């Protein structure tokens, strides 16, 4: 398979008179953060392999407004949201998939009251759909028997009740899934939510991401799997703080599935 990724924009497709199956909402992290861009590429690789007819907004995509809303700036949130909704509605978008649980939660649960009604999926949910439809076939060879623990993102798990799908995908890749003591409903935040990602932590005994990394380390994992670019950053920083970066990888589930794809 060629390494060239095909990423059409909505504007390109509309100019050709075509309608995509899904809109891939890339999100701020997936667009600008160097580490998160690798997650974006992994998901696109899966979409290309499954021959999914998708598009991105490209330069027409703006922040969902999640960070502004969590930080208490409702006015800025509504400005950002309404701008996005106008673009999405102009393109008659029906189905949105995103690798960012913050974007997922905001578009799914908060855009409807502002006039943005869409079918919204986290990328793990959509990848599972592709598997169920026989459009992708992950191999168990790459990660067979690898000890993996999954960190539940707050806005995917507790906020939206998506716990099983990410775990089902990991099992499809043949990993040995080991759960942290705090998982699913009792999972601990990585420390980046509520716009905390963009500020220094308050004084205290320990940073939240270090505490969560310690939870993960108790499972003696080879890989910490995440389903959120912000969780990925915080867990990676925690691993570096513990000086374990040579022993443990932090990977998004999309990266694990992309690496497991049968050629």
């Amino acid at each position: 398979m060629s390494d060239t990724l095909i990423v059409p924009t909505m504007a390109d497709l509309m100019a050709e008179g075509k309608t995509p199956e899904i809109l891939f909402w890339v999100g701020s992290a997936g667009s600008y953060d160097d580490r998160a861009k690798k997650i974006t590429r992994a998901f696109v690789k899966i979409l290309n392999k499954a021959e999914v007819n998708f598009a991105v907004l490209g330069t027409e995509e703006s922040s969902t407004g999640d960070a502004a809303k969590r930080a208490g700036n409702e006015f800025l949130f509504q400005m950002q949201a309404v701008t996005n909704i106008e673009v999405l509605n102009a393109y008659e978008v029906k189905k949105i998939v995103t690798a960012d649980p913050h974007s997922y939660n905001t578009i799914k649960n908060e855009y409807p009251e502002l006039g943005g009604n869409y079918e919204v999926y986290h990328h793990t949910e959509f990848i599972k759909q592709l598997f169920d439809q026989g459009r992708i076939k992950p191999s168990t060879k790459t990660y067979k028997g690898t000890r993996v623990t999954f960190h539940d993102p707050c806005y995917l798990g507790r906020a939206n009740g998506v716990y099983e799908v990410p775990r089902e995908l990991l099992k499809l890749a043949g990993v040995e899934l080991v759960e942290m003591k705090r998982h699913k409903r009792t999972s601990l935040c990585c420390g980046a939510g509520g716009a905390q990602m963009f500020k220094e932590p308050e004084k205290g005994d320990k940073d939240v991401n270090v505490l969560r990394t310690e939870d993960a380390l108790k499972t003696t994992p080879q890989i910490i799997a995440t389903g959120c670019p912000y969780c990925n950053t915080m867990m990676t920083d925690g691993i570096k703080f513990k000086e374990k970066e040579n022993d443990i990888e932090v990977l998004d589930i999309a990266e694990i599935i992309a690496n497991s794809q049968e050629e």
Side-chain angles (χ1 to χ4, degrees), residues 78-93:
Q78 293 204 12
M79 277 175 54
Q80 290 177 311
V82 168
T83 303
N84 285 324
I85 289 165
E86 283 173 357
V87 172
L88 292 167
N89 289 352
Y91 281 125
E92 298 181 357
V93 169

Side-chain angles (χ1 to χ4, degrees), residues 7-205:
V7 189
T9 64
M10 283 297 291
D12 291 341
L13 284 191
M14 294 304 270
E16 295 171 25
K18 294 177 183 172
T19 307
E21 184 182 336
I22 61 160
L23 172 79
F24 172 30
W25 185 275
V26 182
S28 307
S31 302
Y32 295 109
D33 179 78
D34 286 341
R35 176 63 188 89
K37 283 180 196 172
K38 293 179 181 176
I39 300 169
T40 302
R41 281 194 286 271
F43 184 53
V44 169
K45 188 177 169 188
I46 294 167
L47 295 175
N48 284 172
K49 176 85 172 176
E51 297 181 348
V52 175
N53 177 12
F54 78 99
V56 298
L57 285 175
T59 55
E60 292 184 276
E61 182 184 303
S62 178
S63 167
T64 58
D66 163 76
K69 188 176 182 75
R70 305 305 154 222
N73 193 335
E74 183 66 24
F75 177 67
L76 176 57
F77 162 70
Q78 293 204 12
M79 277 175 54
Q80 290 177 311
V82 168
T83 303
N84 285 324
I85 289 165
E86 283 173 357
V87 172
L88 292 167
N89 289 352
Y91 281 125
E92 298 181 357
V93 169
K94 304 281 189 294
K95 197 169 176 178
I96 298 173
V97 180
T98 180
D100 175 7
H102 298 257
S103 298
Y104 169 80
N105 180 68
T106 302
I107 298 171
K108 182 177 179 178
N109 299 322
E110 293 165 347
Y111 275 23
E113 64 190 27
L114 298 170
N117 294 285
Y118 318 103
E119 215 181 313
V120 188
Y121 296 97
H122 185 247
H123 69 320
T124 56
E125 294 177 302
F126 191 70
I127 294 168
K128 182 65 169 57
Q129 287 175 25
L130 293 177
F131 172 78
D132 291 342
Q133 294 161 5
R135 295 167 75 179
I136 59 165
K137 293 188 182 76
S139 164
T140 57
K141 291 176 200 162
T142 312
Y143 292 105
K144 189 166 182 62
T146 305
R147 281 179 71 85
V148 177
T149 193
F150 176 63
H151 163 72
D152 289 278
C154 293
Y155 281 105
L156 184 65
R158 284 198 302 276
N160 287 286
V162 180
Y163 298 113
E164 298 308 327
V165 170
R167 290 169 169 82
E168 286 166 11
L169 287 181
L170 287 170
K171 286 170 186 170
L172 289 177
V175 311
E176 181 194 342
L177 185 62
V178 282
E179 295 285 8
M180 295 182 230
K181 189 174 178 185
R182 289 187 269 205
H183 68 285
K184 295 187 179 175
R185 283 195 185 284
T186 61
S187 180
L188 182 72
C189 174
C190 73
Q196 297 293 313
M197 178 85 179
F198 309 106
K199 57 182 274 300
E200 290 302 311
E202 288 91 355
K203 284 190 173 64
D205 297 330

Side-chain angles (χ1 to χ4, degrees), residues 219-234:
T219 69
T220 59
Q222 291 162 280
I223 294 172
I224 298 171
T226 62
C228 169
Y230 299 103
C231 294
N232 193 299
T233 297
M234 300 304 269

